[in-house]
Amino acid sequence: MGLFGAAMVAAIVIVATAGVILRPWRAPEAVWAAAGAALLVVTGLLPIPAALAGLGKSLDVCLFLTGMMLLAETARREGLFDAVAAFAVNHARGSPSRLFALVYAAGVVITVFLSNDATAVVLTPAVFAAARRARTEPLPHLFACAMVANAASFVLPISNPANLVLYASHPPPLGAWLGGFALASALSIAATYLLLRWTERSALAGACECAVPQRPLTRGAWAAIAGLTAAVAVLLTISALNQPLGAPTALVGAGVAALSLIARRASPLPLLRAIHWQILPLVAGLFVMVEAVDQIDVAGFLARALQRGAAQSPDLTAWAAGGVIALGGNLVNNLPAGLLGAQASGLAQAPRRVIDALLIGVDLGPNLSVTGSLATILWLAVIRRESEDVSAWRFLRTGLVVMPPALILALAARLLTP
């Protein structure tokens, strides 16, 4: 491909990515990603076989997201997340600070076992409703949902689809994963909590309602709990066996949803309509655009830089890689940044500590900006539907306090771990 063609590819990808981040005319993010991918193919800048290869690479992540969205929506329809929110309000005993801690803890559990997108899509509206019922300022609790979704997203391979991207759908065995990321995750979660709690200290002062009605869990809700428990066990087993997670996650999600629908004798259409399916063409479009970027050897350039750095100083290269991709992900969204990082690290045959540093940067870096990750974009869409909004500057002011220290601590912990 000549210089003009490379410039055209870069221009299309930059404009489409800007559309995903800025959403001109309020067009959905998926429209811009799909349009950019289609334009690359129609103009001949990306050969059809290469576009199909990009779609093929997106399949495992799309299947994983499908299964997680089915699990999350089933849990929501059975009232589990509303019950969690009501439980948090009632156990806060009139303290917004205690409510904040309980919301954050719920976010940790949901992110770890159901992915950061589930926290953004399902827990957020329940927390918003709980804050309203508690008559307390909702924004600190909404920030807790957004930031814990990223801070806790490398506890397990299933906690974030980006984890599958960085390890090409074959993450390390579960034991090795926990050995490498346990301390880094703990520090990320704790630092994010403490710093976010400090930034929101004024809004969390005072008192709130100490009791809201809490309906008992239905038989369907208990069935959903059993299904979700079984799903987590299956996914942890698959992860421990070092196998791709996409297809098993989709099958488990479909199975749990089907059992819930059969128990209710309900039509699947309302459940399917409630799911944010637009995330799938968004992911697919981003993968195709990264495939086009690969045609102009951006990944090769980055791979050569990683290879030279890792040969001289693996630890320093890991620090630099984690920091650069954390910042870069906020400029172009962490999924395409992660895709480029995965391609570059694969070409460079980078050591695991460099790949892990890239993963931490991809997962935690988006806490800097409101468009840094798919989870945060989904979170923003959810709170807008609830007549709440957060400006890019408001999120950035908070992110500048919260994200860098958490990133430094997490990277240090990972690089100090054998």
Side-chain angles (χ1 to χ4, degrees):
M1 182 182 294
L3 183 61
F4 178 76
M8 288 297 296
V9 168
I12 291 172
V13 170
I14 289 170
V15 171
T17 303
V20 170
I21 294 171
L22 301 175
R23 294 178 68 238
W25 306 292
R26 298 197 175 187
E29 291 86 357
V31 170
W32 293 98
L39 186 58
L40 288 165
V41 174
V42 169
T43 57
L45 293 167
L46 181 65
I48 291 176
L52 293 176
L55 289 175
K57 292 175 183 177
S58 74
L59 181 60
D60 195 69
V61 175
C62 288
L63 287 172
F64 177 82
L65 285 170
T66 297
M68 283 300 175
M69 289 189 294
L70 286 168
L71 286 169
E73 182 59 23
T74 300
R76 186 195 69 81
R77 288 172 61 81
E78 295 293 354
L80 291 183
F81 293 98
D82 286 333
V84 168
F87 176 89
V89 172
N90 290 334
H91 284 75
R93 299 195 297 274
S95 168
S97 295
R98 193 175 290 115
L99 176 61
F100 177 85
L102 290 167
V103 165
Y104 194 88
V108 170
V109 173
I110 293 168
T111 297
V112 169
F113 294 110
L114 284 179
S115 89
N116 59 339
D117 295 316
T119 298
V121 172
V122 182
L123 181 63
T124 301
V127 166
F128 189 86
R132 275 185 169 172
R133 282 183 284 174
R135 297 183 182 179
T136 187
E137 169 61 42
L139 200 52
H141 311 290
L142 296 176
F143 267 124
C145 293
M147 293 201 168
V148 73
N150 295 317
S153 64
F154 48 97
V155 175
L156 296 176
I158 63 174
S159 303
N160 190 335
N163 299 340
L164 306 184
V165 171
L166 261 297
Y167 271 100
S169 300
H170 287 82
L174 186 59
W177 182 283
L178 292 174
F181 285 114
L183 179 58
S185 294
L187 290 175
S188 169
I189 292 167
T192 300
Y193 170 78
L194 293 172
L195 291 164
L196 182 58
R197 169 70 182 78
W198 182 79
T199 64
E200 301 298 320
R201 61 193 182 281
S202 297
L204 293 173
C208 63
E209 292 290 329
C210 58
V212 298
Q214 183 168 11
R215 298 177 182 175
L217 290 176
T218 64
R219 185 176 300 175
W222 284 111
I225 290 174
L228 289 169
T229 303
V232 169
V234 168
L235 294 177
L236 290 177
T237 301
I238 295 295
S239 178
L241 295 174
N242 196 25
Q243 296 298 312
L245 295 170
T249 307
L251 289 172
V252 168
V256 171
L259 288 174
S260 173
L261 292 168
I262 291 169
R264 283 174 168 264
R265 297 181 181 179
S267 167
L269 293 180
L271 182 147
L272 295 176
R273 280 196 294 263
I275 289 175
H276 296 258
W277 294 111
Q278 63 267 30
I279 196 173
L280 300 182
L282 170 61
V283 169
L286 291 173
F287 269 82
V288 171
M289 287 195 291
V290 169
E291 196 71 21
V293 170
D294 191 41
Q295 300 285 307
I296 59 176
D297 202 34
V298 171
F301 171 79
L302 297 174
R304 290 187 288 274
L306 279 179
Q307 202 165 40
R308 287 193 300 270
Q312 296 174 6
S313 175
D315 283 352
L316 185 59
T317 301
W319 274 104
V324 168
I325 205 168
L327 295 176
N330 286 281
L331 298 176
V332 299
N333 188 268
N334 73 332
L335 186 57
L339 289 168
L340 280 174
Q343 289 182 341
S345 61
L347 290 171
Q349 296 184 325
R352 186 190 160 189
R353 60 201 305 102
V354 173
I355 300 175
D356 287 355
L358 287 168
L359 186 143
I360 290 172
V362 164
D363 284 7
L364 186 54
N367 272 349
L368 185 63
S369 71
V370 76
T371 53
S373 72
L374 290 177
T376 317
I377 289 173
L378 289 170
W379 170 84
L380 187 61
V382 169
I383 67 170
R384 282 172 176 164
R385 285 201 300 268
E386 301 290 347
S387 302
E388 186 71 55
D389 202 359
V390 174
S391 69
W393 173 239
R394 173 70 174 87
F395 198 99
L396 180 62
R397 279 188 302 158
T398 302
L400 284 170
V401 175
V402 175
M403 190 281 283
L407 178 67
I408 291 169
L409 286 171
L411 287 173
R414 175 61 194 96
L415 296 177
L416 289 172
T417 302

